[in-house]
């Protein structure tokens, strides 16, 4: 990436005085990794977000928008542009609809919905990050996914300088995928359509979800969640090499046509492997943890090593789930 000129940096700082210079992204990612954003700014409202984007575009400064930083791997060299945190946390409930600005924390939205007696989003309670990030990656767990609850997404199209609202079908949701991973829209607001239900039932389900998470995921360590997507297949022949590799594949994986990446990694005995301070969690094979001072390079090297082993030994190509910035 071309280095930003001093003139562009100074002009931007004059127009956006809350912006910081050379802010370490490791301060803003759940994995505590990431070099300096040449410019970094928090946008507390969507109006401010649009103003900042407008100024960056006018000064020809590249920009990227993020939410909670819980699915990010930022390069050690950082990002030569403006990193903007979408931090509009506003939210309102209208009947069965929950309308949340992209910076609203997913867990807060999930709890507010349950408190209002709406069901269907209890699974969102333990997903770190924001509604914008969750919509972007079609986040999900324990059988729920954003695609099941999103009714509309309001965005800003920086290429045309206009707003555009997408219906659920237009979002092109797929497994940990949406059109927003492919088209550079800025997410402003997501509307969830939930079921009228019972407050107590919803709150109890949330407690169960939290218990399940505690039991299955590493606690108290720095990670970016799952590094790889689980492996989806259409045709069982894609598993020929895996089938030759010892014990059977659980029936549920075959019926769901999805093999958890963590299970593949565990099967190769890779849990606990580390490069530098980056380690494959001893608890969950798809979580990479930062044991303190890990570099993005270490995580990428470990991820390449795992991909190579899984490809060579099990015949399966793993894809990244974590989003890269600055590479
Ligand atoms: C401990 C742990 C557990 C996790 N468990 C789960 C889980 O169960 N299920 C699951 O799906 N994920 C899980 N994750 C991953 C992560 O929490 C989700 O992907 C989450 O939805 C990301 O939201 P975020 O706001 O942090 O996104 P960020 O990490 O901030 O950003 C992710 C991507 O979205 C883009 N983006 C974010 N906001 C906007 C916006 N407003 N406009 C345009 N682009 C935007 C960013 O540019 C980036 O490419 C987990 C992560 C951790 C650390």
């Amino acid at each position: 990436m071309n280095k930003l000129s001093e003139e562009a940096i100074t002009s931007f700082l004059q127009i956006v005085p809350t912006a910081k210079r050379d802010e370490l992204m490791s301060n803003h990612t759940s994995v505590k990794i990431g070099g300096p954003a040449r410019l970094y700014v928090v946008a507390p409202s969507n109006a401010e977000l649009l103003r900042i984007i407008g100024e960056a575009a006018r000064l020809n400064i590249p920009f990227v928008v993020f939410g909670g930083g819980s699915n990010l791997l930022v390069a050690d060299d950082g990002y030569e542009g403006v990193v903007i945190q979408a931090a509009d946390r506003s939210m309102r409930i209208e009947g069965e609809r929950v309308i949340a600005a992209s910076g609203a924390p997913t867990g807060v939205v999930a709890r507010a919905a349950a408190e209002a007696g709406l069901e269907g989003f209890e699974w969102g309670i333990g997903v770190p990050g924001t509604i914008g990030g969750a919509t972007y990656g079609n986040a999900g767990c324990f059988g729920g996914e954003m695609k099941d609850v999103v009714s509309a997404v309001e965005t800003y199209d920086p290429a045309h300088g206009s707003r555009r609202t997408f219906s659920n079908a237009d979002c092109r949701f797929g497994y940990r995928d949406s059109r927003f991973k492919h088209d550079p829209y800025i997410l402003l607001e997501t509307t969830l359509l939930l079921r009228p239900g019972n407050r107590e039932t919803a709150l109890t389900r949330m407690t169960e979800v939290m218990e399940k998470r505690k039991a299955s995921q590493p606690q108290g360590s720095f990670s970016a969640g799952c590094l790889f997507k689980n492996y989806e297949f259409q045709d069982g022949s894609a598993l020929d090499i895996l089938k030759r590799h010892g014990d059977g594949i659980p029936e549920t994986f075959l019926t769901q046509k999805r093999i958890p990446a963590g299970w593949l990694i565990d099967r190769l005995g890779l849990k606990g492997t580390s490069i530098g301070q980056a380690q494959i969690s001893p608890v969950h094979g798809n979580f990479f943890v930062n044991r303190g001072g890990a570099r993005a390079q270490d995580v990428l090297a470990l991820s390449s090593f795992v991909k190579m082993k899984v490809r060579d030994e099990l015949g399966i190509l793993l894809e990244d789930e974590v989003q890269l910035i600055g590479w």
Side-chain angles (χ1 to χ4, degrees):
M1 241 178 182
N2 292 338
K3 215 167 154 34
L4 289 188
S5 69
E6 268 312 308
E7 197 187 341
I9 294 174
T10 311
S11 304
F12 186 83
L13 288 169
Q14 272 166 3
I15 303 161
V16 185
T18 52
K20 292 183 190 170
R21 204 182 159 144
D22 298 331
E23 171 71 6
L24 283 179
M25 284 305 292
S26 53
N27 293 329
H28 304 285
T29 55
S30 59
V31 71
K32 304 285 174 221
I33 291 177
R38 190 62 62 226
L39 292 160
Y40 178 87
V41 61
V42 177
S45 68
N46 278 339
E48 183 62 358
L49 175 64
L50 294 180
R51 183 182 84 85
I52 294 166
I53 289 173
E55 295 300 348
R58 195 176 59 77
L59 292 165
N60 245 329
I61 300 178
F63 63 87
V64 61
V65 176
F66 80 110
S70 65
N71 200 209
L72 286 185
L73 185 63
V74 182
D76 299 312
D77 288 342
Y79 180 77
E80 195 63 30
V82 193
V83 178
I84 310 167
Q85 183 175 32
D88 188 333
R89 296 168 152 242
S90 58
M91 180 192 359
R92 61 189 193 280
I93 296 181
E94 292 176 1
E96 295 157 27
R97 285 172 209 278
V98 180
I99 301 143
S102 56
T106 304
V108 172
V109 176
R111 184 162 295 280
E115 291 284 358
L118 295 174
E119 293 184 24
F121 195 44
E122 295 87 339
W123 59 266
I125 186 68
V127 177
T130 62
I131 280 291
T135 306
Y136 179 92
N138 186 24
C141 58
F142 307 123
E145 275 181 295
M146 289 303 284
K147 75 171 173 50
D148 305 329
V149 290
V150 167
S151 77
V153 181
E154 196 192 341
T155 68
Y156 175 73
D157 175 358
H160 297 96
S162 56
R163 288 186 184 228
R164 186 166 167 192
T165 302
F166 293 98
S167 66
N168 179 302
D170 289 338
C171 290
R172 300 204 295 259
F173 287 120
Y175 168 57
R176 296 294 173 271
D177 196 22
S178 75
R179 76 175 303 153
F180 310 115
K181 280 197 171 177
H182 310 278
D183 304 335
Y185 292 99
I186 306 303
L187 281 71
L188 300 175
E189 191 176 87
T190 296
T191 301
L192 308 180
L193 178 60
L194 304 175
R195 296 189 306 275
N198 179 283
R199 175 179 174 275
E200 300 312 320
T201 313
L203 291 173
T204 306
R205 206 170 291 142
M206 268 183 178
T207 310
E208 288 164 9
V209 166
M210 286 311 283
E211 291 301 323
K212 272 199 212 168
R213 291 188 84 89
K214 268 193 210 147
S216 61
Q217 293 182 359
Q219 301 296 311
S221 50
F222 301 131
S223 85
C226 289
L227 200 63
F228 304 113
K229 290 182 179 182
N230 294 328
Y231 177 68
E232 290 199 312
F233 59 93
Q234 293 305 321
D235 174 0
S237 65
L239 305 178
D240 283 351
I241 301 179
L242 175 63
K243 282 177 184 159
R244 273 184 253 132
H245 197 275
D247 317 328
I249 305 167
E251 200 52 41
T252 46
F253 297 174
L254 296 173
T255 45
Q256 288 169 2
K257 294 197 180 309
R258 186 180 288 178
I259 313 274
W263 184 81
L264 295 168
I265 293 165
D266 191 13
R267 201 172 168 105
L268 293 179
L270 296 175
K271 280 204 287 202
T273 309
S274 42
I275 292 185
Q277 289 301 310
Q279 185 190 39
I280 301 173
S281 162
V283 180
H284 187 311
N286 201 8
F287 270 64
F288 282 35
V289 294
N290 176 0
R291 292 199 294 175
R295 297 171 317 144
Q297 281 294 352
D298 300 331
V299 178
L300 224 56
L302 196 53
S303 144
S304 305
F305 171 72
V306 168
K307 278 183 185 166
M308 193 184 66
K309 292 285 267 184
V310 172
R311 184 200 60 200
D312 292 351
E313 297 190 28
L314 306 178
I316 284 174
L317 288 176
L318 289 178
E319 282 178 40
D320 293 329
E321 178 168 326
V322 77
Q323 299 298 297
L324 305 178
I325 288 185
W327 296 90

